[in-house]
Amino acid sequence: MPGVLTTPAELDAAVRAGRFPDGGPVRVLDVRWRLDRPDGRPEYRAGHIPGAQYVDLDHDLAAPGAPTDGRHPLPPVEALQQTARRWGIDDGDTVVVYDDLNNLSSARAWWLLRYAGVADVRLLDGSLRAWTDAGLAMETGDAATPTPGSVTLVYGALPVLALDEVAAFADGGLLLDARAGERYRGEVEPIDPRAGHVPGAVSAPTTENVGADGRFHDPEALRARFTALGAAPGVEVGVSCGSGVTAAHQAVALTLAGFTPRVFPGSWSQWSNHPELPVATGPDPR
């Protein structure tokens, strides 16, 4: 499997050369998005990695749906394929994704493209801050429109959890909840209809997977963290969050640690919109 992360120096060299020495032609995606400010275009246009195409998480990496589908349903694969071709992606390319928020939003692009069969997708470790701290060039405005790509996408390259599988999975496996602890405990719920967590889920805020510099902890440290939470050989690990965005960030950390996570794309935003499903509150009993 290709590397999960890349460094600013590696990406800069690949952009200059047009390809990675251990991969294919490089395509860079800027996935700036925040829950309180979902449109990242102003920040993108103020400065981005040269050639990076802007990705609208709400429209490019999700599809409209009913509340019972969650806040960020997966787009139809045909729609994602059309979008990826608009970004100029061909089969065999190396795709690098980044944001300005410790890769909490760009991880959604990493996971979704990997799920759709793009074999080589990497995150810029440390996100845009690492690039600017290294003093590397920035581009303003909109990047030039690339030649349309020809990539073929098919969902199913990574394991997922469907809504009707989650309850049994939480009973027999390890379901990690990537949200902040106060949301897991049900003390606050700023956006979804019910507060709390899936019964049996374990609290594992994804922000604890990175250091103060926004870079992921090393694989050994991540492995120790998830082992302490219950991950072990023979134990399936699933990931949930608010709407399937930071669950992807947790999936990156688990992959770095040597695990094969199953993401629950609908996450709490889907579960909490089904009043027939139970809700647990309070601290993690573990």
Side-chain angles (χ1 to χ4, degrees):
M1 175 181 170
V4 174
L5 304 176
T6 191
T7 67
E10 291 168 343
L11 177 57
D12 181 53
V15 169
R16 293 174 184 276
R19 64 183 304 119
F20 275 86
D22 62 342
V26 60
R27 309 295 178 195
V28 185
L29 304 180
D30 183 308
V31 197
R32 276 185 257 193
W33 175 92
R34 298 171 188 257
L35 187 61
D36 61 340
R37 194 171 70 248
D39 187 356
R41 285 182 186 85
E43 290 78 12
Y44 165 81
R45 288 172 176 150
H48 57 264
I49 293 174
Q53 299 297 307
Y54 176 72
V55 175
D56 185 323
L57 187 148
D58 285 335
H59 297 94
D60 294 336
L61 305 180
T68 49
D69 297 323
R71 284 185 278 114
H72 287 113
L74 301 187
V77 70
E78 298 83 4
L80 181 63
Q81 177 175 281
Q82 182 177 5
T83 301
R85 290 179 176 182
R86 171 168 53 82
W87 295 327
I89 299 175
D90 294 313
D91 290 316
D93 285 351
T94 296
V95 181
V96 177
V97 299
Y98 73 90
D99 58 34
D100 60 356
L101 192 65
N102 296 343
N103 285 317
L104 290 171
S105 57
S106 61
R108 168 75 171 207
W110 176 88
W111 180 84
L112 186 58
L113 289 171
R114 288 281 295 108
Y115 177 62
V118 180
D120 192 357
V121 189
R122 311 181 192 192
L123 290 103
L124 177 60
D125 198 19
S127 62
L128 186 61
R129 177 171 36 148
W131 180 272
T132 56
D133 286 350
L136 295 170
M138 295 280 279
E139 180 180 59
T140 59
D142 291 317
T145 301
T147 301
S150 58
V151 69
T152 299
L153 302 182
V154 179
Y155 280 161
L158 296 178
V160 296
L161 279 171
L163 178 66
D164 60 4
E165 299 175 304
V166 173
F169 186 92
D171 284 339
L174 175 64
L175 180 64
L176 300 177
D177 189 318
R179 295 174 300 160
E182 61 269 22
R183 290 187 69 192
Y184 169 90
R185 294 187 294 271
E187 296 165 4
V188 297
E189 181 44 63
I191 194 165
D192 292 317
R194 293 190 288 168
H197 58 268
V198 175
V202 173
S203 181
T206 198
T207 52
E208 296 178 14
N209 293 323
V210 298
D213 59 1
R215 290 178 168 87
F216 282 92
H217 297 305
D218 63 67
E220 292 74 19
L222 291 171
R223 192 175 304 115
R225 181 192 185 212
F226 293 125
T227 298
L229 291 169
V235 176
E236 284 197 291
V237 182
V239 186
S240 176
C241 64
S243 67
V245 175
T246 56
H249 191 271
Q250 192 88 291
V252 172
L254 283 159
T255 301
L256 290 169
F259 298 100
T260 303
R262 294 177 64 182
V263 169
F264 172 25
S267 287
W268 185 248
S269 62
Q270 183 178 30
W271 183 278
S272 63
N273 269 289
H274 286 262
E276 74 278 10
L277 295 175
V279 169
T281 56
D284 189 333
R286 301 191 187 193

